[in-house]
Amino acid sequence: VAWARRRYLVFISLGALTLYLLAIPFLGFSIASFAFLFGLQVILMPRTPRSIVIASIVSLVFSFGLNWLFAEIFTVFLPRATF
């Protein structure tokens, strides 16, 4: 039990990854990736206003930027939202 308390961030990351993988079919790649990246960065980084702005910029670039890259350059379409 003590080893689990020392490694709680590992369990949080694995739980977030599981939720991310379950959310992709419903929310689509871009939105699920943004939520996953932003959430993990906020949990793992110090919570200052500057770090939250950086986390949101990084999350936007990597989630929507990767979607654009795959769709426009590679012509591979990533999962879209069901709604």
Side-chain angles (χ1 to χ4, degrees):
V1 175
W3 64 271
R5 286 191 190 133
R6 288 191 306 261
R7 294 169 181 87
Y8 73 96
L9 289 176
V10 173
F11 294 115
I12 289 174
S13 298
L14 288 174
L17 179 64
T18 303
L19 289 175
Y20 169 63
L21 293 175
L22 292 173
I24 287 178
F26 301 107
L27 299 177
F29 176 81
S30 295
I31 296 172
S33 295
F34 176 78
F36 172 72
L37 290 171
F38 183 74
L40 269 186
Q41 288 179 53
V42 167
I43 289 170
L44 296 175
M45 289 184 357
R47 289 175 197 92
T48 63
R50 183 172 185 242
S51 68
I52 291 176
V53 169
I54 291 171
S56 61
I57 292 170
V58 168
S59 299
L60 278 171
V61 167
F62 277 97
S63 60
F64 292 96
L66 279 176
N67 193 23
W68 174 83
L69 178 73
F70 274 87
E72 298 297 324
I73 306 299
F74 300 136
T75 61
V76 174
F77 296 101
L78 298 173
R80 295 177 185 242
T82 56
F83 57 88

